[in-house]
Amino acid sequence: MSDKAVITCALNGVLTDPKQHHVPVTPEEMAREARAAFNAGASVMHIHLRQQAPNQGHLPSWEVSVSREIQHAIREACPGVIINHTTGTSGPNYSGALDCVRETRPEMAACNAGSLNYLKVKSDNTWAWPPMMFDNAVEKVQDYLDVMKVAQTIPEFECFDVGIVRCVGMYRQTGMYSGPLEYNFVMGVASGMPADPELLPILLKLKLPEAHWQVTAIGRAEIWPLHQRCAELGGHLRTGLEDTFYQPDGAKVTSNGQLIETIAACARRAGREIASPAEARQIFGIRH
Protein backbone atom coordinates (compact mmCIF):
# COMPACT_ATOMS: atom_id res chain seq x y z
CA MET A 1 0.00 0.00 0.00
CA SER A 2 1.10 3.54 -0.72
CA ASP A 3 0.72 5.41 2.58
CA LYS A 4 0.08 8.68 0.78
CA ALA A 5 -3.06 8.91 -1.32
CA VAL A 6 -2.88 11.15 -4.37
CA ILE A 7 -6.24 12.78 -5.09
CA THR A 8 -7.25 13.74 -8.62
CA CYS A 9 -10.13 16.11 -9.27
CA ALA A 10 -11.94 15.60 -12.59
CA LEU A 11 -13.14 19.17 -12.93
CA ASN A 12 -15.69 19.13 -15.74
CA GLY A 13 -15.71 16.22 -18.21
CA VAL A 14 -16.98 16.22 -21.76
CA LEU A 15 -20.63 15.18 -21.42
CA THR A 16 -21.79 17.43 -18.57
CA ASP A 17 -23.83 20.41 -19.76
CA PRO A 18 -23.06 23.68 -17.92
CA LYS A 19 -26.66 24.77 -18.52
CA GLN A 20 -27.81 21.86 -16.35
CA HIS A 21 -24.97 21.36 -13.88
CA HIS A 22 -22.37 23.47 -12.07
CA VAL A 23 -19.44 22.50 -14.32
CA PRO A 24 -16.72 25.05 -15.09
CA VAL A 25 -15.99 26.10 -18.67
CA THR A 26 -13.95 29.32 -18.82
CA PRO A 27 -10.37 29.63 -17.55
CA GLU A 28 -11.65 31.72 -14.63
CA GLU A 29 -14.27 29.10 -13.71
CA MET A 30 -11.77 26.27 -14.07
CA ALA A 31 -9.29 28.09 -11.80
CA ARG A 32 -11.96 28.78 -9.18
CA GLU A 33 -13.11 25.15 -9.09
CA ALA A 34 -9.52 23.87 -9.12
CA ARG A 35 -8.69 26.08 -6.15
CA ALA A 36 -11.62 24.69 -4.18
CA ALA A 37 -10.48 21.14 -4.96
CA PHE A 38 -6.84 22.01 -4.24
CA ASN A 39 -7.74 23.41 -0.83
CA ALA A 40 -9.63 20.20 -0.06
CA GLY A 41 -6.64 17.99 -0.90
CA ALA A 42 -6.48 17.43 -4.66
CA SER A 43 -3.00 17.72 -6.16
CA VAL A 44 -3.94 16.61 -9.71
CA MET A 45 -6.50 18.37 -11.91
CA HIS A 46 -7.95 16.37 -14.80
CA ILE A 47 -9.19 18.85 -17.38
CA HIS A 48 -11.46 18.80 -20.41
CA LEU A 49 -11.66 21.71 -22.84
CA ARG A 50 -14.92 23.36 -23.86
CA GLN A 51 -15.70 25.90 -26.55
CA GLN A 52 -15.48 29.39 -25.11
CA ALA A 53 -18.06 31.24 -27.24
CA PRO A 54 -21.31 32.24 -25.51
CA ASN A 55 -23.77 29.33 -25.14
CA GLN A 56 -21.23 26.88 -26.59
CA GLY A 57 -19.77 25.58 -23.33
CA HIS A 58 -21.45 22.19 -23.74
CA LEU A 59 -19.30 21.46 -26.80
CA PRO A 60 -15.72 20.14 -26.68
CA SER A 61 -12.72 22.11 -27.90
CA TRP A 62 -9.24 21.04 -28.98
CA GLU A 63 -7.79 24.50 -29.44
CA VAL A 64 -4.26 24.66 -28.08
CA SER A 65 -4.83 28.28 -27.02
CA VAL A 66 -7.79 27.23 -24.84
CA SER A 67 -5.69 24.49 -23.25
CA ARG A 68 -2.88 26.95 -22.52
CA GLU A 69 -5.21 29.53 -20.98
CA ILE A 70 -6.94 27.00 -18.76
CA GLN A 71 -3.71 25.38 -17.60
CA HIS A 72 -2.17 28.78 -16.86
CA ALA A 73 -5.20 29.87 -14.84
CA ILE A 74 -5.21 26.65 -12.81
CA ARG A 75 -1.47 26.80 -12.13
CA GLU A 76 -1.77 30.40 -10.97
CA ALA A 77 -4.54 29.43 -8.57
CA CYS A 78 -2.93 26.20 -7.34
CA PRO A 79 0.86 26.40 -6.84
CA GLY A 80 2.63 23.17 -7.77
CA VAL A 81 -0.53 21.50 -9.10
CA ILE A 82 -0.25 18.62 -11.59
CA ILE A 83 -2.27 18.88 -14.80
CA ASN A 84 -3.80 15.69 -16.21
CA HIS A 85 -5.06 16.48 -19.73
CA THR A 86 -7.87 14.73 -21.53
CA THR A 87 -7.21 13.11 -24.91
CA GLY A 88 -10.43 11.17 -25.39
CA THR A 89 -11.85 11.37 -28.92
CA SER A 90 -13.96 9.15 -31.16
CA GLY A 91 -13.40 8.83 -34.87
CA PRO A 92 -10.38 9.05 -37.15
CA ASN A 93 -9.41 12.66 -36.42
CA TYR A 94 -7.64 13.05 -33.09
CA SER A 95 -4.95 15.49 -34.20
CA GLY A 96 -6.29 18.21 -31.91
CA ALA A 97 -5.76 16.05 -28.84
CA LEU A 98 -2.24 15.21 -29.96
CA ASP A 99 -1.51 18.91 -30.58
CA CYS A 100 -2.67 19.89 -27.09
CA VAL A 101 -0.30 17.41 -25.45
CA ARG A 102 2.56 18.18 -27.80
CA GLU A 103 2.32 21.95 -27.45
CA THR A 104 1.41 22.35 -23.76
CA ARG A 105 3.34 19.42 -22.25
CA PRO A 106 1.09 18.61 -19.27
CA GLU A 107 2.61 16.46 -16.55
CA MET A 108 0.07 13.70 -17.18
CA ALA A 109 -2.55 12.87 -19.80
CA ALA A 110 -5.25 10.27 -20.28
CA CYS A 111 -4.36 7.44 -22.63
CA ASN A 112 -7.50 5.43 -23.34
CA ALA A 113 -6.12 1.93 -23.56
CA GLY A 114 -8.79 0.11 -25.56
CA SER A 115 -12.09 0.37 -27.39
CA LEU A 116 -15.56 0.14 -25.88
CA ASN A 117 -19.14 0.07 -27.13
CA TYR A 118 -20.34 3.11 -25.16
CA LEU A 119 -23.95 2.25 -24.35
CA LYS A 120 -26.69 3.04 -21.88
CA VAL A 121 -30.35 2.00 -21.78
CA LYS A 122 -33.08 4.12 -20.17
CA SER A 123 -35.85 2.82 -17.93
CA ASP A 124 -38.20 2.66 -20.93
CA ASN A 125 -35.77 0.21 -22.62
CA THR A 126 -34.61 2.68 -25.26
CA TRP A 127 -31.06 3.90 -25.83
CA ALA A 128 -30.03 6.88 -23.70
CA TRP A 129 -28.02 8.07 -26.71
CA PRO A 130 -27.31 6.56 -30.15
CA PRO A 131 -25.01 3.56 -29.65
CA MET A 132 -21.42 4.62 -30.26
CA MET A 133 -17.98 3.10 -30.42
CA PHE A 134 -15.28 4.75 -28.31
CA ASP A 135 -12.53 3.61 -30.63
CA ASN A 136 -8.98 3.27 -29.33
CA ALA A 137 -7.14 0.99 -31.70
CA VAL A 138 -3.53 0.01 -31.01
CA GLU A 139 -2.30 2.43 -33.69
CA LYS A 140 -4.14 5.29 -31.99
CA VAL A 141 -2.75 4.35 -28.58
CA GLN A 142 0.75 4.29 -30.09
CA ASP A 143 0.29 7.78 -31.56
CA TYR A 144 -0.65 9.12 -28.15
CA LEU A 145 2.26 7.35 -26.45
CA ASP A 146 4.73 8.70 -29.01
CA VAL A 147 3.58 12.29 -28.45
CA MET A 148 3.57 11.88 -24.67
CA LYS A 149 7.12 10.55 -24.76
CA VAL A 150 8.35 13.65 -26.59
CA ALA A 151 6.39 15.93 -24.24
CA GLN A 152 7.62 14.02 -21.15
CA THR A 153 3.97 13.52 -20.25
CA ILE A 154 3.10 10.44 -18.20
CA PRO A 155 0.18 8.48 -19.67
CA GLU A 156 -2.63 7.46 -17.37
CA PHE A 157 -3.99 4.29 -18.95
CA GLU A 158 -7.79 4.48 -18.87
CA CYS A 159 -9.24 0.98 -18.60
CA PHE A 160 -13.01 0.61 -19.08
CA ASP A 161 -13.08 -3.17 -18.99
CA VAL A 162 -11.08 -6.14 -17.71
CA GLY A 163 -9.58 -6.99 -21.09
CA ILE A 164 -8.33 -3.43 -21.49
CA VAL A 165 -6.44 -3.79 -18.20
CA ARG A 166 -4.66 -6.79 -19.70
CA CYS A 167 -3.84 -4.83 -22.87
CA VAL A 168 -1.68 -2.39 -20.89
CA GLY A 169 0.66 -5.25 -20.00
CA MET A 170 0.93 -6.09 -23.69
CA TYR A 171 1.87 -2.49 -24.49
CA ARG A 172 4.75 -2.86 -22.04
CA GLN A 173 5.66 -6.34 -23.33
CA THR A 174 5.90 -5.25 -26.97
CA GLY A 175 7.89 -2.10 -26.22
CA MET A 176 5.12 0.35 -27.08
CA TYR A 177 5.70 2.01 -23.70
CA SER A 178 8.48 1.75 -21.13
CA GLY A 179 7.94 4.62 -18.67
CA PRO A 180 6.16 4.93 -15.31
CA LEU A 181 2.87 3.04 -15.21
CA GLU A 182 -0.43 4.44 -13.96
CA TYR A 183 -3.70 2.54 -14.39
CA ASN A 184 -7.09 4.22 -14.07
CA PHE A 185 -9.86 1.64 -13.58
CA VAL A 186 -12.98 3.35 -14.97
CA MET A 187 -15.95 1.71 -13.26
CA GLY A 188 -19.64 2.47 -13.55
CA VAL A 189 -20.05 2.99 -17.31
CA ALA A 190 -23.12 0.90 -18.17
CA SER A 191 -21.35 -1.09 -20.90
CA GLY A 192 -18.03 -1.36 -19.05
CA MET A 193 -16.90 -2.53 -15.63
CA PRO A 194 -19.52 -2.11 -12.88
CA ALA A 195 -18.82 0.08 -9.87
CA ASP A 196 -18.43 -3.01 -7.70
CA PRO A 197 -15.80 -3.07 -4.91
CA GLU A 198 -15.57 -6.87 -5.23
CA LEU A 199 -14.03 -6.44 -8.69
CA LEU A 200 -10.97 -4.59 -7.38
CA PRO A 201 -8.95 -7.63 -6.22
CA ILE A 202 -9.28 -9.15 -9.69
CA LEU A 203 -8.10 -5.94 -11.36
CA LEU A 204 -5.15 -5.73 -9.00
CA LYS A 205 -4.11 -9.26 -9.97
CA LEU A 206 -4.23 -8.29 -13.66
CA LYS A 207 -2.29 -5.04 -13.51
CA LEU A 208 1.50 -5.03 -13.64
CA PRO A 209 2.87 -5.26 -10.08
CA GLU A 210 4.95 -2.09 -10.15
CA ALA A 211 2.16 0.14 -11.44
CA HIS A 212 0.25 2.80 -9.56
CA TRP A 213 -3.51 2.68 -9.84
CA GLN A 214 -6.65 4.61 -9.13
CA VAL A 215 -10.39 4.26 -9.66
CA THR A 216 -12.75 6.51 -11.58
CA ALA A 217 -16.21 5.71 -10.21
CA ILE A 218 -19.11 6.97 -12.32
CA GLY A 219 -22.57 7.06 -10.82
CA ARG A 220 -24.52 8.40 -7.86
CA ALA A 221 -24.40 7.64 -4.14
CA GLU A 222 -23.67 3.95 -4.82
CA ILE A 223 -20.09 4.70 -5.94
CA TRP A 224 -18.78 5.71 -2.50
CA PRO A 225 -18.23 2.18 -1.12
CA LEU A 226 -16.00 1.62 -4.17
CA HIS A 227 -13.97 4.72 -3.34
CA GLN A 228 -13.62 3.54 0.25
CA ARG A 229 -12.41 0.10 -0.82
CA CYS A 230 -9.97 1.70 -3.26
CA ALA A 231 -8.50 3.72 -0.39
CA GLU A 232 -8.24 0.61 1.81
CA LEU A 233 -6.43 -1.40 -0.90
CA GLY A 234 -3.83 1.33 -1.51
CA GLY A 235 -5.15 2.94 -4.66
CA HIS A 236 -5.05 6.61 -5.45
CA LEU A 237 -8.34 8.46 -5.51
CA ARG A 238 -10.32 10.48 -8.03
CA THR A 239 -13.67 12.21 -8.13
CA GLY A 240 -15.18 15.43 -9.44
CA LEU A 241 -18.09 16.80 -11.40
CA GLU A 242 -17.05 14.74 -14.44
CA ASP A 243 -17.80 11.55 -12.50
CA THR A 244 -20.66 12.32 -10.11
CA PHE A 245 -22.85 15.06 -8.67
CA TYR A 246 -23.81 13.18 -5.52
CA GLN A 247 -22.56 12.70 -1.98
CA PRO A 248 -22.91 9.37 -0.13
CA ASP A 249 -26.20 10.55 1.41
CA GLY A 250 -27.63 11.35 -2.03
CA ALA A 251 -27.29 15.13 -1.67
CA LYS A 252 -26.38 16.91 -4.90
CA VAL A 253 -23.23 19.03 -4.81
CA THR A 254 -22.55 22.38 -6.45
CA SER A 255 -18.73 22.34 -6.42
CA ASN A 256 -15.79 20.01 -6.96
CA GLY A 257 -14.46 21.02 -3.55
CA GLN A 258 -17.34 19.27 -1.79
CA LEU A 259 -16.57 15.99 -3.55
CA ILE A 260 -12.85 16.22 -2.82
CA GLU A 261 -13.54 16.77 0.89
CA THR A 262 -15.59 13.57 0.91
CA ILE A 263 -13.04 11.45 -0.92
CA ALA A 264 -10.22 12.78 1.29
CA ALA A 265 -12.24 11.50 4.24
CA CYS A 266 -12.25 8.04 2.59
CA ALA A 267 -8.44 8.07 2.61
CA ARG A 268 -8.24 9.18 6.22
CA ARG A 269 -10.68 6.48 7.34
CA ALA A 270 -8.34 3.97 5.68
CA GLY A 271 -5.47 5.35 7.78
CA ARG A 272 -3.79 7.18 4.91
CA GLU A 273 -2.50 10.71 4.56
CA ILE A 274 -3.20 12.95 1.57
CA ALA A 275 -0.22 13.53 -0.77
CA SER A 276 0.86 17.09 -1.43
CA PRO A 277 1.59 18.14 -5.03
CA ALA A 278 5.32 17.71 -4.40
CA GLU A 279 4.77 14.24 -2.94
CA ALA A 280 2.51 13.31 -5.85
CA ARG A 281 5.21 14.33 -8.31
CA GLN A 282 7.66 12.05 -6.51
CA ILE A 283 5.20 9.13 -6.35
CA PHE A 284 4.42 9.26 -10.08
CA GLY A 285 7.97 10.04 -11.22
CA ILE A 286 7.05 13.32 -12.90
CA ARG A 287 10.14 14.88 -14.47
CA HIS A 288 8.91 18.36 -15.36
Side-chain angles (χ1 to χ4, degrees), residues 12 25 29-30 107 123 146 151 213:
N12 58 350
V25 170
E29 292 167 348
M30 294 287 280
E107 292 93 339
S123 59
D146 289 346
W213 64 281

Side-chain angles (χ1 to χ4, degrees), residues 26-27 30 40 60 65 89-90 114-115 142 173 194 201 214 219 228 269:
T26 67
M30 294 287 280
S65 60
T89 59
S90 295
S115 299
Q142 184 70 76
Q173 189 177 359
Q214 70 175 19
Q228 187 62 53
R269 281 195 298 271

